[in-house]
Amino acid sequence: MSIDWKRFTELIHAHQRFVLTSHIRPDCDALGSELGMAAILRSLGKDVKIANGHATPPNLAFIDPRSEIRVIGQTITAEELADRDLLMILDTSAWAQLGAMSEVVKTTSAKKIVLDHHVSEDDLGAENFKNTTAEAAGRLVVEAADALGVPLTAEIAFPLFAAIATDTGWFRFGSASAGTYRMAARLIEAGIKPSAIYNALYEQDTIGRVKLRGEILARVEALLDGRLVHTYVLKEDFTKTGANAADTEDVINMALGIAGTQFAVIFVEQATGGFKLSFRSRCAVDCSKMAEKFGGGGHKAAAGAFVAGELAEVQKQVLDAVLAAMQ
Ligand SMILES: [Mn+2]
């Protein structure tokens, strides 16, 4: 699906007061696309506000150094958006993803447009500018700048580089094409430093998190000639390392980095007892089906559940079920 940029630019030129929004649980593509688009529109003399359904998570605050992004009902009201004549939805086209902004989207008298790369059947009452083959919404914002004849400045390029870099897993997913690298090169030429963005995104661990990761990785065990790996975290590990429960996220993905691994399980002891399980799969075994056996759920490639009991018994129960599914 290709975008009619002529129509898009007509709509931009025909309006003056913009509000940009994106999805809840905002990621770097959502936030970066909003900030990049805001800078582009301001360079055309437009009045731009940004309002989301959820606050920017603290680990992504670096992308918005002037705290331009507001949260509806918290740092901006619906009344303050009443004078907007164009509402642009970026990086989503699903009602369920708009959170508290869905009420504004439903009731606004502004012209509505969607600029997105996701597949969705929802009718937001907007004119759609979608390219579901784009690796990131950030790409579409760069294309919008080109269509509008706006030169890329460092202010425009910084959030858009972060958007494209993160949606492609720092340019390593299958979605990262030669065109992605060419676009990244243009953004770098506009005056941004990828190393600073990488540092802000991926080099912000606490010492506690690194130590906790060490404990978890030291306990990795392999079964079925390495096709199945598992490890665990105990309550006392958190006190010992000073890490918190959220710091166990991603360690399971490191276990999947072992050559030959097809399925990984981590057992995380909960403060009130019992274990939270996380499953990761890159084989035919469906994580969501495995999680459902234990009252949990998720997706094919990643899922979770909770099982009460002591470590040894929980491990046996869960690993027996995984082994049976993998043999
Ligand atoms: Mn995206």
Side-chain angles (χ1 to χ4, degrees):
M1 196 194 302
S2 71
I3 289 176
D4 181 353
W5 288 113
K6 187 170 172 290
R7 173 66 182 154
F8 182 88
T9 57
E10 277 168 15
L11 287 169
I12 298 301
H13 292 309
H15 294 85
Q16 186 56 33
R17 292 178 306 281
F18 290 70
V19 54
L20 312 182
T21 193
S22 188
H23 56 82
I24 51 170
R25 291 180 293 279
D27 59 9
C28 235
D29 192 30
L31 302 166
S33 295
E34 291 177 314
L35 289 162
M37 181 59 78
I40 291 163
L41 294 172
R42 286 195 189 111
S43 79
L44 295 169
K46 309 294 182 184
D47 174 353
V48 188
K49 290 180 176 172
I50 307 174
N52 288 338
H54 279 177
T56 300
N59 63 315
L60 298 181
F62 76 92
I63 202 174
D64 182 18
R66 291 194 302 266
S67 300
E68 283 182 52
I69 300 174
R70 301 298 157 89
V71 186
I72 192 74
Q74 292 177 35
T75 49
I76 196 165
T77 63
E79 292 72 50
E80 288 173 275
L81 298 174
D83 68 339
R84 304 291 98 184
D85 61 7
L86 192 141
L87 186 156
M88 191 187 302
I89 300 154
L90 297 116
D91 197 35
T92 184
S93 32
W95 281 118
Q97 290 290 308
L98 292 172
M101 273 302 288
S102 62
E103 201 50 40
V104 175
V105 175
K106 257 175 220 150
T107 57
T108 185
S109 56
K111 168 74 185 174
K112 293 187 276 189
I113 68 179
V114 162
L115 187 63
D116 186 25
H117 68 135
H118 294 98
V119 178
S120 162
E121 300 300 315
D122 284 9
D123 180 5
L124 302 183
E127 203 164 318
N128 285 312
F129 296 88
K130 288 181 53 154
N131 179 354
T132 55
T133 68
E135 68 279 57
R139 151 174 296 278
L140 306 180
V141 179
V142 176
E143 290 179 358
D146 292 343
L148 289 160
V150 172
L152 298 176
T153 61
E155 189 199 357
I156 294 170
F158 175 79
L160 293 174
F161 186 95
I164 296 167
T166 51
D167 255 29
T168 58
W170 203 265
F171 309 104
R172 76 186 198 281
F173 295 163
S175 60
S177 66
T180 312
Y181 284 85
R182 273 193 289 271
M183 188 170 273
R186 284 184 61 204
L187 296 169
I188 295 167
E189 282 162 354
I192 60 112
K193 290 214 171 357
S195 57
I197 296 175
Y198 187 90
N199 174 264
L201 283 167
Y202 304 119
E203 296 171 335
Q204 300 297 321
D205 280 339
T206 61
I207 185 114
R209 190 186 299 166
V210 171
K211 286 186 171 176
L212 182 72
R213 199 178 288 155
E215 295 282 337
I216 299 170
L217 292 177
R219 291 177 191 142
V220 167
E221 285 192 53
L223 295 165
L224 297 176
D225 296 322
R227 284 162 55 217
L228 168 61
V229 298
H230 63 96
T231 185
Y232 63 91
V233 197
L234 299 174
K235 280 189 286 196
E236 66 208 43
D237 294 323
F238 295 109
T239 23
K240 194 164 80 184
T241 59
N244 59 52
D247 292 332
T248 62
E249 284 168 19
D250 288 348
V251 185
I252 187 79
N253 297 325
M254 296 176 86
L256 271 184
I258 303 166
T261 302
Q262 294 178 345
F263 200 93
V265 191
I266 186 169
F267 301 87
V268 182
E269 191 176 18
Q270 302 298 290
T272 48
F275 287 82
K276 205 180 132 222
L277 321 173
S278 288
F279 298 113
R280 294 288 185 279
S281 175
R282 57 160 66 118
C283 63
V285 178
D286 186 328
C287 288
S288 66
K289 294 217 172 79
M290 191 55 63
E292 279 164 23
K293 284 189 207 292
F294 301 100
H299 306 280
K300 191 176 181 301
F306 171 82
V307 179
E310 296 304 317
L311 178 65
E313 59 184 274
V314 173
Q315 269 182 325
K316 182 167 178 357
Q317 200 186 340
V318 173
L319 293 175
D320 281 352
V322 178
L323 283 165
M326 287 184 78
Q327 266 153 0

